[in-house]
Amino acid sequence: MKVSFPYMGTTVVYKKLLEMLGHEVIMPPKPTQHTINLGVKYSPEFACFPLKVIMGSYFEAIQRGAEVIVTSGGHGPCRAGFYERVHRRILETEGHQVDFIVFDSMFRNRKTFMENVKRLKGQTPMHRVIHALWLVYDMIGKLDHLEKQVQRIRAYEVNRGETTRVWEQIQKMFDQAYTKKALSEAFNKGQEMISAIHLKQVDKEDRIRIGIVGEIYVVMEDSINMKMEQLLNSLGAEVERSQYLSQWVTYNMLPKWMNWSHEKKILQKSDGYLPIQIGGHAKHNVGQMIDYSQRGFDGVVHLMPFGCLPELVSQSIIPKINEDYEIPVLTISLDEQTGIANNQTRVEAFLDLVRGKHQEKKQSRNRVTESVTQRVSPTG
């Protein structure tokens, strides 16, 4: 089959799995303004931004020869659960007969999940399927580990753009790894390349850390979020996302009785503010903001597609979290009409605010330390 998928984040892992299952992979191009314009043209006006971008991405993949699209589902009030139906109907209206394979958590509907697995594996022997799954799962974890380092050290790079170029080279190396040995070599080489990047020396107590939360697509796909990670890094702030593919896979693949993944702990922290699941990642984002505050982060950037119901709910809870945990949060709404220059100015102003608060906390700690030192030191 000629198979494609939505472009989101580190696409090398999706490509790798489908290739190892014997499919011809049609890589969707990274979303551009043309992709967005294409999606906006054919999507309902009030559909959320990810639906429109993915719609444009599908048209581009079909133009390259895609026959089957593999994607994920959703649940609750979040409209992501209906993406496939809307996309399929639009494509059929435009004369494109494309098949969809939609994966949701195996614990919601095990029968449908296994049917999709059988369709996707085709004639591939089961031992090769298991090998592919384990290799790709290992690859996801290793790539996330390296990406977290990139998001931290890029804030201190001496040569602007060097860290991003290294990260792109690392992804290409992983794309060529088809065995456990090759994957391990790619990971070790990636570590060496990251360690060789020239960095400015910044004291630990002077470092600014910003968390990014929001709807998973706009958080993980930098082509539609103004390259938020790189923007914050360029302003001297370390970054950590609320969503990483390895965490999402672990949470959705392990049964509840043995699932003690990062996401489950985060969801528990949100119970006091949002006790039920309302779809999307609203509950997760509320818990993640609390976690960032407890871990000493200086601020949070909240990315939400315009009109996204779950994120509107989480946005309404932010003032209470800010009051209880004293962590600044900047919400940025994203759609096809987003003013990039305006939002970049807002991010810069937010970083100035965060730095001011960080400096106040540092001075307060120093005063406390000096006071304690004076009380315990012997008098002359």
Side-chain angles (χ1 to χ4, degrees):
M1 293 190 297
K2 294 182 178 181
V3 182
S4 191
F5 46 83
Y7 194 107
M8 184 182 77
T10 313
T11 55
V12 60
V13 295
Y14 320 132
K15 175 176 178 285
K16 181 69 63 181
L17 177 59
L18 294 171
E19 283 180 343
M20 295 185 73
L21 293 178
H23 301 295
E24 179 182 345
V25 179
I26 306 298
M27 280 295 294
K30 191 174 181 66
T32 62
Q33 190 58 50
H34 173 71
T35 312
I36 296 172
N37 293 341
L38 202 57
V40 169
K41 179 180 179 180
Y42 293 102
S43 300
E45 180 180 358
F46 292 104
C48 53
F49 191 38
L51 183 145
K52 296 176 181 178
V53 180
I54 294 172
M55 183 76 264
S57 183
Y58 286 166
F59 273 111
E60 292 181 325
I62 290 169
Q63 290 169 2
R64 294 185 172 196
E67 301 169 341
V68 178
I69 292 172
V70 181
T71 185
S72 61
H75 65 281
C78 178
R79 288 172 284 189
F82 298 97
Y83 277 14
E84 174 265 334
R85 297 182 186 180
V86 176
H87 288 147
R88 185 193 293 269
R89 181 165 296 184
I90 292 172
L91 290 171
E92 288 176 350
T93 301
E94 296 303 315
H96 300 292
Q97 299 298 321
V98 183
D99 198 6
F100 279 79
I101 300 178
V102 184
F103 280 94
D104 208 336
S105 173
M106 64 182 297
F107 305 110
R108 291 191 64 218
N109 191 324
R110 188 182 299 272
K111 180 181 178 181
T112 300
F113 183 88
M114 294 310 299
E115 287 175 352
N116 286 336
V117 170
K118 290 178 181 178
R119 290 179 63 194
L120 199 59
K121 92 176 191 64
Q123 301 300 315
T124 307
M126 187 54 69
H127 71 276
R128 286 180 56 188
V129 173
I130 295 173
H131 169 71
L133 289 173
W134 276 113
L135 184 75
V136 170
Y137 182 70
D138 192 20
M139 177 181 289
I140 292 171
K142 285 180 165 59
L143 278 169
D144 281 352
H145 180 82
L146 295 175
E147 187 175 17
K148 288 179 181 179
Q149 294 183 50
V150 166
Q151 293 165 343
R152 185 177 68 253
I153 70 168
R154 186 162 46 199
Y156 314 116
E157 63 184 6
V158 173
N159 302 313
R160 181 65 62 86
E162 181 183 5
T163 310
T164 300
R165 289 192 293 272
V166 166
W167 174 234
E168 291 172 351
Q169 293 170 12
I170 290 173
Q171 293 179 73
K172 290 179 181 178
M173 289 193 309
F174 272 77
D175 189 28
Q176 302 302 315
Y178 288 90
T179 64
K180 186 175 181 180
K181 180 181 178 182
L183 185 60
S184 180
E185 290 174 351
F187 177 72
N188 292 334
K189 179 63 176 177
Q191 290 275 31
E192 293 174 5
M193 293 169 67
I194 290 175
S195 299
I197 296 173
H198 300 292
L199 303 176
K200 303 171 187 175
Q201 295 300 315
V202 179
D203 291 340
K204 187 175 182 179
E205 62 177 7
D206 291 327
R207 295 180 179 180
I208 302 295
R209 294 191 296 166
I210 302 295
I212 299 179
V213 304
E215 190 273 335
I216 188 170
Y217 189 74
V218 297
V219 166
M220 292 188 64
E221 182 44 52
D222 65 1
S223 64
I224 63 168
N225 67 17
M226 307 185 306
K227 297 187 181 297
M228 184 57 65
E229 295 169 21
Q230 295 184 42
L231 174 60
L232 290 167
N233 285 155
S234 70
L235 296 172
E238 297 181 15
V239 171
E240 182 181 302
R241 292 197 311 259
S242 60
Q243 302 285 347
Y244 290 92
L245 191 56
S246 58
Q247 296 169 356
W248 185 90
V249 170
T250 300
Y251 177 73
N252 283 279
M253 293 302 292
L254 291 178
K256 292 183 179 180
W257 61 271
M258 62 176 295
N259 193 329
W260 295 103
S261 62
H262 170 78
E263 289 210 14
K264 186 168 184 178
K265 296 176 182 177
I266 292 300
L267 289 169
Q268 290 174 342
K269 292 187 178 185
S270 68
D271 287 343
Y273 297 87
L274 193 58
I276 62 172
Q277 280 281 12
I278 63 169
H281 290 87
K283 185 172 174 62
H284 178 275
N285 290 330
V286 169
Q288 192 68 65
M289 287 183 233
I290 296 170
D291 183 66
Y292 282 141
S293 175
Q294 293 172 338
R295 290 166 55 200
F297 274 61
D298 298 285
V300 175
V301 172
H302 174 221
L303 301 176
M304 56 175 282
F306 178 76
C308 175
L309 177 59
E311 292 310 318
L312 284 171
V313 173
S314 61
Q315 183 188 17
S316 70
I317 300 172
I318 287 175
K320 181 60 175 173
I321 295 175
N322 185 275
E323 177 183 342
D324 293 345
Y325 290 91
E326 298 184 342
I327 185 167
V329 181
L330 172 66
T331 295
I332 294 180
S333 180
L334 299 166
D335 68 2
E336 64 271 19
Q337 300 183 45
T338 297
I340 295 178
N342 173 64
N343 278 325
Q344 286 183 346
T345 302
R346 292 181 62 205
V347 172
E348 291 170 2
F350 178 69
L351 258 294
D352 287 341
L353 167 69
V354 165
R355 283 198 177 88
K357 288 184 173 293
H358 182 91
Q359 197 63 27
E360 289 177 5
K361 290 180 181 178
K362 177 183 174 181
Q363 292 173 353
S364 177
R365 288 195 301 268
N366 289 342
R367 285 195 294 269
V368 171
T369 301
E370 291 174 1
S371 176
V372 171
T373 303
Q374 290 173 0
R375 287 200 299 269
V376 301
S377 61
T379 56

